């Protein structure tokens, strides 16, 4: 930016401020996620004597699965596709099949196979 940073009274402070702000947001986000994960991991122990325990745990599993699928389909898959397209453009390599999506499906099938194999 060509203007003067009004907060610090110097030029070029926007890049440093934004990098510092991003780092702060990431650190706060990590600790919030860690706290929420710990809280919800301990929730089944607190509900042990509850009469609707099985339904509550089933709901928590469905919610967790939905969050996982939402993260995969809304963030990770498009990100991998973009990265693979950039790789193909920079290396001038092309794949005859959609390589990123094929790897994603193979990974999903591998996890499904392992869960089926070791399920009790």
């Amino acid at each position: 930016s060509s203007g003067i940073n009004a907060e610090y009274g110097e030029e070029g402070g926007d890049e440093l401020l934004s990098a510092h702000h991003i780092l702060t947001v990431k650190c706060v986000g990590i600790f919030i996620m860690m706290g929420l994960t710990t809280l919800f991991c301990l929730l089944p122990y607190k509900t042990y004597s509850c009469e609707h325990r099985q339904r509550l745990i089933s709901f928590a599993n469905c919610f967790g699965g939905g969050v996982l699928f939402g993260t995969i389909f809304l963030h990770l898959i498009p990100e991998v596709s973009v990265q693979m397209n950039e790789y193909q453009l920079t290396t001038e390599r092309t794949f005859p099949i959609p390589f990123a999506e094929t790897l994603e499906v193979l990974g999903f099938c591998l996890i499904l196979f392992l869960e089926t194999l070791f399920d009790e």
Side-chain angles (χ1 to χ4, degrees):
S1 68
S2 61
I4 295 177
N5 188 347
E7 188 173 350
Y8 295 105
E10 58 186 83
E11 279 193 26
D14 291 338
E15 292 84 17
L16 181 63
L17 179 65
S18 64
H20 177 65
H21 180 70
I22 290 172
L23 180 64
T24 303
V25 169
K26 284 183 179 182
C27 290
V28 169
I30 287 171
F31 284 110
I32 289 173
M33 290 295 290
M34 185 177 69
L36 287 174
T37 302
T38 303
L39 176 73
F40 284 107
C41 284
L42 295 175
L43 189 63
Y45 294 112
K46 293 290 185 186
T47 62
Y48 188 71
S49 62
C50 179
E51 75 179 51
H52 299 293
R53 179 177 183 266
Q54 190 63 33
R55 179 175 270 194
L56 185 63
I57 291 176
S58 176
F59 175 75
N61 280 336
C62 290
F63 180 76
V67 169
L68 180 66
F69 276 131
T71 302
I72 289 170
F73 289 123
L74 297 176
H75 176 67
L76 295 178
I77 289 177
E79 185 70 26
V80 170
S81 297
V82 167
Q83 293 294 325
M84 285 302 296
N85 288 338
E86 288 178 6
Y87 173 76
Q88 288 180 7
L89 290 174
T90 58
T91 61
E92 297 179 4
R93 257 184 108 162
T94 58
F95 299 104
I97 57 171
F99 192 68
E101 289 80 3
T102 303
L103 286 179
E104 292 159 2
V105 169
L106 288 175
F108 180 79
C109 291
L110 176 66
I111 290 172
L112 181 63
F113 172 73
L114 291 175
E115 283 186 2
T116 305
L117 184 67
F118 294 110
D119 189 25
E120 297 181 77

